[in-house]
Amino acid sequence: MNADQSRPVTALRQFVVGVGLLGRGLGIVLSNPRLLLLGLLPALLSGLVYMIALVVFLRFLPDLSGQVTWFAGDWAGWLRGTVEVIAGAGLLGLAVLFGILTFTAVTLVIGDPFYEKISELVEERFGGVPDAVEAGFWRSTRRSVADALRLIGISILVGIPLFLLGFLPVAGQTVIPVLGGAIGGWLLALELTGVPFQRRGQRLRHRRVVLAQDKPLTLGFGGAVFAAFLIPLGAVLLMPAAIAGATLLARKSLGKSI
């Protein structure tokens, strides 16, 4: 097999390894029920707030769909209805993308001490971090909030074009949702690896560079987390596992043993 043929195979293998990191993270947290319970508490709190927000959003979704398709007000009934359905689906997809990313950011800030402990446990299992940087609680929290706001801003800038592209025939209902999931997975990987990278004194800009060196691995993990978070209560129940898996992703991306 020549180099060109081996690249797709290697990329697929790395993608599968990335997907498997979430499962490995789940196995680690399940082996410590007390730590798992502590990791669930912040996610449960955030999950309750976001569940209420989702119910309110769905209640007003038909009205919002009509407002964003104001240009179709004089169109034939069936055509206007079709456009409103597409707009509603696009708004729902945008809300899901934005909701998952902001849920993750908010939960990480609320549960920073708990998730720090989970990540530290994973690190210790595979040799620890000899040159770990002690940033302190408040400094670490400020950095986490700043990085989270940057990622949320990026998600908004990306989400609006994706919503508009959703009006494209066929592609808007097939390719665009997949693209949105891939982007969401990438942003989730950036968010979730914040704790292990901060332990090494590295910020968001460093994470982007390191994780981009092996995109299939990162997208495999991020895509698996994004898909899991789409399942009802998945984001709440799997947040501790996602933190553990993200720590494994960070270690592997930095050339450390896992």
Side-chain angles (χ1 to χ4, degrees):
M1 182 181 294
N2 60 41
D4 290 337
Q5 290 175 320
S6 65
R7 276 196 209 98
V9 175
T10 302
L12 178 60
R13 184 181 298 117
Q14 287 298 91
F15 183 87
V16 173
V17 170
V19 172
L21 291 179
L22 179 59
R24 290 185 61 182
L26 179 60
I28 290 173
V29 297
L30 287 177
S31 67
N32 193 327
R34 180 174 175 273
L35 202 57
L36 173 63
L37 180 60
L38 289 175
L40 285 175
L41 292 177
L44 285 170
L45 179 60
S46 298
L48 178 61
V49 174
Y50 274 76
M51 186 64 68
I52 295 172
L54 177 61
V55 171
V56 173
F57 176 79
L58 292 175
R59 165 64 180 79
F60 291 100
L61 183 57
D63 295 333
L64 291 172
S65 300
Q67 291 176 10
V68 299
T69 56
W70 53 268
F71 54 86
D74 297 331
W75 294 6
W78 68 271
L79 185 56
R80 183 176 67 250
T82 300
V83 172
E84 288 182 356
V85 168
I86 294 174
L91 286 170
L92 181 58
L94 183 61
V96 168
L97 174 62
F98 187 69
I100 288 176
L101 294 174
T102 56
F103 169 85
T104 303
V106 170
T107 305
L108 288 175
V109 172
I110 294 174
D112 183 72
F114 304 131
Y115 298 134
E116 174 70 33
K117 187 63 179 178
I118 291 175
S119 180
E120 184 181 351
L121 175 68
V122 176
E123 299 268 28
E124 290 176 352
R125 177 173 294 203
F126 296 98
V129 183
D131 55 346
V133 176
E134 294 293 336
F137 174 75
W138 291 113
R139 186 179 179 186
S140 175
T141 300
R142 286 197 302 270
R143 288 182 174 181
S144 297
V145 171
D147 289 349
L149 289 175
R150 290 190 186 97
L151 288 171
I152 290 172
I154 292 172
S155 71
I156 293 174
L157 292 176
V158 171
I160 293 174
L162 287 176
F163 168 70
L164 296 176
L165 290 172
F167 286 99
L168 293 175
V170 183
Q173 295 75 54
T174 54
V175 177
I176 301 305
V178 174
L179 179 60
I183 294 173
W186 172 259
L187 293 176
L188 271 180
L190 284 174
E191 277 191 324
L192 291 166
T193 51
V195 172
F197 273 92
Q198 283 193 30
R199 185 175 294 114
R200 294 165 171 83
Q202 299 185 19
R203 299 291 303 278
L204 177 59
R205 61 182 181 276
H206 301 111
R207 302 199 312 259
R208 282 199 298 256
V209 173
V210 173
L211 295 179
Q213 292 174 357
D214 197 343
K215 288 189 177 74
L217 179 73
T218 303
L219 288 173
F221 171 75
V225 175
F226 190 85
F229 281 12
L230 290 175
I231 302 171
L233 296 180
V236 174
L237 299 176
L238 290 177
M239 179 60 80
I243 292 293
T247 304
L248 294 174
L249 172 63
R251 289 187 62 87
K252 186 169 180 62
S253 298
L254 290 166
K256 306 298 181 181
S257 63
I258 59 169

